[in-house]
Amino acid sequence: MKTFQDQIGQFHRLKQTPKRIVCLVPSITELLYHLGLEDAVVGITKFCEHPVHFKKTKTIIGGTKQVHLEKIIALQPDMIIANKEENTQEVVVSLQKFAPVWVTNIVTVEDALQMILDMGKLFQKNIEAQKWVQKIQHAREDFKAFIQTKPNKKVVYFIWAKPYMVAANQTFIHQMLLENGWSNGYENQDRYPEIELKKIRLQCDPDLVLLSSEPFPFKDEHAFEIGRFTHHAKTIFVDGSYFSWYGSRMHAAYAYFKQMHQRLDGEIV
């Protein structure tokens, strides 16, 4: 019998290594694949887009907020992976009646790296997890050196429209903005506040506006509308997965960030 502790302090006493995993967190689904656990993953959400072939080979158990309980029970999982932000407490409590639910809680890069190591210990993939952490840390250090001479920009990161919502403090997205050497125009607020566009100049007057590809698909008309209320801020569309997905995707995120800076600086078209 081994005892493990998840990121919200729950203890899990396991007789054996879990072999049937249901994952309710898209970024961790991708991580589990990269750790060599493809065969162990039996259920995923409809938002688990990577790896692409999982949509055909795994059972879709619903979304991240609303799950089909009967589908999960039928899969007979011996471990369910959830996240404090992405999944509701109600979902977690309902699932705990049928299987252990490992809850991750990720705000900082360090939280994300610890989660990877936790997955390695939990599923006996320690070496693979350590390799991924080392790869991410190397990419991170390389990127830090790259942006050392870049000027600070005040940034607003939009996640939703009508109502308009942004990523503020106490979010992983906020931490990834800081990783880019930027300051978050809404760092004085928490989580995902709703904002009024007409107040954006008064509240933070950003240099750069980022429109995420997820969870809301921003279009040119949104960029135009937001731009009307800024003072010459540059607006760009970004792949939201590189700002919000913790796990193995973080390795590719730093390469993506480097290209993004180079485009902003006019170094590449």
Side-chain angles (χ1 to χ4, degrees), residues 2-20:
K2 290 186 177 180
T3 302
F4 303 87
Q5 186 176 14
D6 67 21
Q7 287 181 303
I8 64 167
Q10 296 181 128
F11 288 97
H12 301 265
R13 300 188 69 197
L14 304 177
K15 294 181 180 179
Q16 59 186 14
T17 302
K19 301 296 184 185
R20 296 184 62 79

Side-chain angles (χ1 to χ4, degrees), residues 17 21 55 61 75 85-86 98 118 121 130 135 145-146 150 157 161 178 184 191 203 213 233 244 252 254 267:
T17 302
I21 308 165
K55 284 288 186 74
I61 52 77
L75 289 172
E85 177 181 301
E86 295 192 46
F98 307 99
D118 288 345
K121 292 176 183 176
Q130 289 167 5
K135 286 172 63 174
F146 168 78
K150 301 292 182 184
Y157 187 104
L178 299 184
N184 188 340
R191 310 295 296 156
Q203 291 175 333
S213 61
S244 61
Y254 289 107
E267 296 174 22

Side-chain angles (χ1 to χ4, degrees), residues 52-263:
V52 175
H53 68 275
F54 269 23
K55 284 288 186 74
K56 295 181 179 179
T57 60
K58 307 300 177 183
T59 299
I60 308 298
I61 52 77
T64 53
K65 307 295 184 189
Q66 295 181 319
V67 301
H68 298 299
L69 195 59
E70 67 283 355
K71 286 188 177 182
I72 294 177
I73 295 171
L75 289 172
Q76 297 183 312
D78 50 13
M79 182 58 68
I80 299 170
I81 306 296
N83 177 262
K84 184 178 178 181
E85 177 181 301
E86 295 192 46
N87 311 116
T88 66
Q89 185 176 10
E90 181 183 7
V91 165
V92 170
V93 170
S94 65
L95 293 174
Q96 284 174 331
K97 299 173 184 177
F98 307 99
V101 181
W102 185 279
V103 182
T104 58
N105 183 24
I106 300 166
V107 176
T108 67
V109 171
E110 288 66 32
D111 292 337
L113 297 179
Q114 184 58 56
M115 178 274 294
I116 296 172
L117 294 175
D118 288 345
M119 293 295 103
K121 292 176 183 176
L122 186 61
F123 299 115
Q124 290 198 10
K125 294 290 184 178
N126 284 297
I127 294 175
E128 293 85 346
Q130 289 167 5
K131 285 181 178 178
W132 272 103
V133 167
Q134 289 169 2
K135 286 172 63 174
I136 293 167
Q137 288 175 329
H138 178 75
R140 187 186 191 193
E141 290 304 316
D142 179 69
F143 181 66
K144 281 185 177 180
F146 168 78
I147 63 166
Q148 206 164 22
T149 58
K150 301 292 182 184
N152 177 271
K153 295 180 186 293
K154 186 176 290 185
V155 178
V156 174
Y157 187 104
F158 281 85
I159 64 161
W160 202 261
K162 310 297 177 63
Y164 281 101
M165 299 171 68
V166 299
N169 212 333
Q170 298 300 311
T171 64
F172 186 69
I173 293 173
H174 172 73
Q175 292 298 315
M176 296 308 268
L177 296 179
L178 299 184
E179 290 285 297
N180 277 275
W182 296 326
S183 58
N184 188 340
Y186 285 93
E187 65 182 2
N188 62 329
Q189 297 191 45
D190 289 336
R191 310 295 296 156
Y192 304 103
E194 181 180 332
I195 68 166
E196 293 183 56
L197 291 184
K198 63 182 180 181
K199 293 183 179 180
I200 193 170
R201 284 179 63 179
L202 179 65
Q203 291 175 333
C204 63
D205 196 17
D207 303 305
L208 182 64
V209 170
L210 304 182
L211 302 182
S212 180
S213 61
E214 58 177 51
F216 183 88
F218 284 94
K219 307 295 183 187
D220 287 339
E221 56 263 30
H222 302 111
F224 178 75
E225 183 178 7
I226 293 169
R228 288 172 49 217
F229 295 97
T230 65
H231 186 250
H232 305 304
K234 186 177 183 66
T235 301
I236 62 172
F237 295 91
V238 296
D239 186 329
S241 69
Y242 292 118
F243 287 89
S244 61
W245 283 39
Y246 30 79
S248 48
R249 179 153 296 239
M250 292 168 64
H251 178 253
Y254 289 107
Y256 176 83
F257 295 156
K258 184 180 286 190
Q259 286 193 339
M260 183 177 57
H261 280 269
Q262 289 172 330
R263 287 194 177 94

